[in-house]
Amino acid sequence: AGTWEEKNLNKWATDRIKELLVTMGSVDFSGGKAEIAEVTRCSGDAFLVTVRNKKRVGYTYELALKVKGEWQIGGENKKMKCHIDVPEFSFGELDDLQIEVKLSEEKDVPQQDKVRIIKDLKLFLQPLREKLLQFEEELKDR
């Protein structure tokens, strides 16, 4: 008979993900830059399971991020608020990470600029993935 022990790491994981993402810094684009202003939702489960003295970790999370940035639109710098949602990500699946981008304020913004801003915001995918990989490594060391 083996031993089974499960440890809930939700509080640590939620705090750590938020901490990592807020320190990401800004991402520069051809026509501006943006940064994560706030992690508005970070929900999920993280756990450590010990089975016969072997440790296994896992997690499943969802994120909603508030992003603020500045873009060159029609010859002037315009501040924009945007949202990035990460519908779901889990242990070992960060290569398949998907993000959804929404603009909060789109009045007075021409369609071609909206398309460009959304495309720019998709550049957050790589630095986001790197921060979440760092989180995964730290989780493994717990």
Side-chain angles (χ1 to χ4, degrees):
T3 57
W4 169 277
E5 184 189 335
E6 187 169 340
K7 192 171 164 189
N8 178 320
L9 298 174
N10 294 356
K11 169 132 183 48
W12 173 85
T14 301
D15 291 347
R16 189 63 186 135
I17 289 172
K18 286 180 178 178
E19 201 177 301
L20 285 168
L21 295 181
V22 173
T23 61
M24 201 159 82
S26 63
V27 175
D28 294 325
F29 318 113
S30 56
K33 67 179 182 177
E35 64 185 14
I36 292 175
E38 186 187 342
V39 178
T40 51
R41 191 181 74 216
C42 179
S43 59
D45 293 305
F47 52 87
L48 167 71
V49 176
T50 309
V51 182
R52 296 190 192 103
N53 293 330
K54 282 190 178 150
K55 286 183 177 184
R56 293 196 183 103
V57 291
Y59 67 85
T60 303
Y61 264 83
E62 292 177 16
L63 285 173
L65 310 170
K66 195 182 281 182
V67 177
K68 61 180 187 202
E70 206 173 87
W71 279 267
Q72 191 82 34
I73 297 173
E76 60 180 88
N77 282 348
K78 189 169 174 132
K79 291 189 186 308
M80 302 276 292
K81 289 191 177 114
C82 318
H83 296 276
I84 295 177
D85 287 331
V86 184
E88 186 184 10
F89 58 100
S90 53
F91 191 80
E93 296 182 8
L94 292 177
D95 290 344
D96 302 328
L97 194 67
Q98 301 283 316
I99 62 174
E100 295 166 7
V101 177
K102 292 190 281 276
L103 305 182
S104 309
E105 305 149 356
E106 34 185 89
K107 56 189 180 296
D108 310 333
V109 178
Q111 184 61 33
Q112 68 196 40
D113 288 319
K114 288 182 201 173
V115 170
R116 178 174 53 109
I117 290 167
I118 288 171
K119 193 172 158 217
D120 284 347
L121 288 169
K122 297 220 183 246
L123 295 174
F124 268 97
L125 183 60
Q126 192 49 41
L128 251 174
R129 186 180 284 134
E130 286 165 19
K131 287 294 184 183
L132 294 173
L133 280 168
Q134 182 183 339
F135 162 74
E136 234 174 59
E137 287 306 309
E138 291 177 17
L139 183 64
K140 282 189 233 171
D141 294 338
R142 298 227 21 112

